Amino acid sequence: MLGNALIGLREGLEASLVVSILVAFLIRTDRRRELPKVWAGVTFAILVSIGVTLGLTLAEQALTFQASEALGGSLSIVAVGFVTWMIFWMRANARALKTELEGKLEAAIKMGPVAVVVMATLAVGREGLETAVFFFSAAQAAGETLQPLIGFLIGIAISVVIAYLIYRGAMRINLAKFFTVTGFFLVFVAAGILAYGVHDLQEAGLLPGLNTLAFDVSAQVPADSWYGTLLKGVLNFSPRTTVLEASVWCLYVAVVLTLFLLPQRTRSTTAAAA
């Protein structure tokens, strides 16, 4: 649940910051008449995200076991792609986000009311669609819907409060640093989602090695123990992990974490040289 809360916090804060930037821009430039259009776009984005989540859930229930595992595994890998892209994009663009959004909204206002609604929908909808895929994958991994949903809602609720406090000027936060720290932990969360997706594809018969285990610590880390539940909820850790799952987990962490840490060191080195 903690891993889900972290993803909910990241996605929720991105979406909440987008909304607060758009609203603040309209108020600051005395264009309050455009606010209903922005809120219409935000509402539409939320409804689409909920619809996608429900659609995936209903589709999964109608499938055979193998097809369901194939769908769950494929969407888990898609979710990892979203997480990875989100980590690097926000790390690079957090500081320029405000200027970029204000420029797009200014252009949309000149084009007309429909453009404003579409712009707001697209700006918020990306996070909404990513969250829908994350939630479905997390629910599949946990084997239930309630705990992942609670985790996401907690993270989103905290993000809304933080964004509101920032908007009101009651809180200052270094967004670049925030997204760097949360991105570091999300690399490990994403690695767990990827390993689970691989396991699903193995159960569907699309990948080999389902019975070739890298380790089996189910006796030492029972799945129903508090620490087993914690590891499962945060990192999608499985006490019985196949060789392919472990290999994919290690490879993802090694490559993505290295790339994630490199840009900051490169910029620091460049700045020092200058």
Side-chain angles (χ1 to χ4, degrees):
M1 186 165 67
L2 291 177
N4 301 325
L6 180 59
I7 293 177
L9 176 62
R10 278 280 303 224
E11 289 294 325
L13 187 57
E14 285 184 40
S16 299
L17 286 173
V18 166
V19 175
S20 65
I21 288 170
L22 297 179
V23 170
F25 176 71
L26 293 178
I27 293 175
R28 189 175 70 251
T29 57
D30 196 23
R31 293 168 172 171
R32 293 174 184 267
R33 65 185 180 279
E34 304 292 341
L35 284 173
K37 303 179 187 69
V38 169
W39 287 118
V42 172
T43 302
F44 185 68
I46 293 173
L47 291 176
V48 169
S49 301
I50 294 173
V52 170
T53 304
L54 293 176
L56 289 174
T57 303
L58 292 174
E60 187 268 340
Q61 292 176 351
L63 297 174
T64 62
F65 173 78
Q66 284 191 330
S68 174
E69 294 300 296
L71 175 64
S74 300
L75 286 177
S76 293
I77 294 173
V78 171
V80 170
F82 281 153
V83 172
T84 308
W85 181 84
M86 173 184 70
I87 290 171
F88 286 100
W89 190 88
M90 283 306 296
R91 174 83 180 268
N93 295 279
R95 290 178 181 145
L97 183 62
K98 180 173 180 289
T99 302
E100 180 182 345
L101 285 172
E102 289 180 349
K104 288 182 178 179
L105 183 55
E106 181 71 46
I109 291 173
K110 293 178 181 178
M111 292 174 64
V114 175
V116 176
V117 175
V118 172
M119 183 269 164
T121 301
L122 294 177
V124 178
R126 178 175 62 86
E127 279 77 21
L129 290 176
E130 288 174 2
T131 304
V133 176
F134 294 154
F135 172 72
F136 180 81
S137 300
Q140 289 283 102
E144 58 177 313
T145 304
L146 185 58
Q147 287 214 4
L149 178 60
I150 292 174
F152 275 111
L153 291 178
I154 290 174
I156 291 171
I158 294 173
S159 72
V160 171
V161 172
I162 292 174
Y164 178 76
L165 291 175
I166 293 174
Y167 171 76
R168 299 297 297 179
M171 175 185 288
R172 291 185 178 275
I173 183 172
N174 186 325
L175 292 177
K177 188 172 184 179
F178 172 84
F179 286 121
T180 297
V181 173
T182 56
F184 177 84
F185 289 107
L186 274 176
V187 170
F188 296 95
V189 173
I193 296 174
L194 179 60
Y196 178 80
V198 168
H199 182 79
D200 265 3
L201 294 178
Q202 287 180 309
E203 289 197 328
L206 298 177
L207 290 177
L210 179 60
N211 297 313
T212 306
L213 299 181
F215 57 83
D216 183 355
V217 293
S218 51
Q220 294 78 17
V221 187
D224 56 353
S225 64
W226 69 267
Y227 46 93
T229 303
L230 182 64
L231 288 171
K232 179 70 172 177
V234 177
L235 301 174
N236 274 315
F237 174 78
S238 173
R240 300 182 79 254
T241 297
T242 67
V243 171
L244 186 57
E245 285 179 78
S247 301
V248 166
W249 190 96
C250 292
L251 182 62
Y252 178 87
V253 170
V255 173
V256 175
L257 197 57
T258 299
L259 293 175
F260 181 71
L261 295 175
L262 270 179
Q264 188 176 23
R265 292 174 181 173
T266 301
R267 284 195 299 268
S268 300
T269 303
T270 303

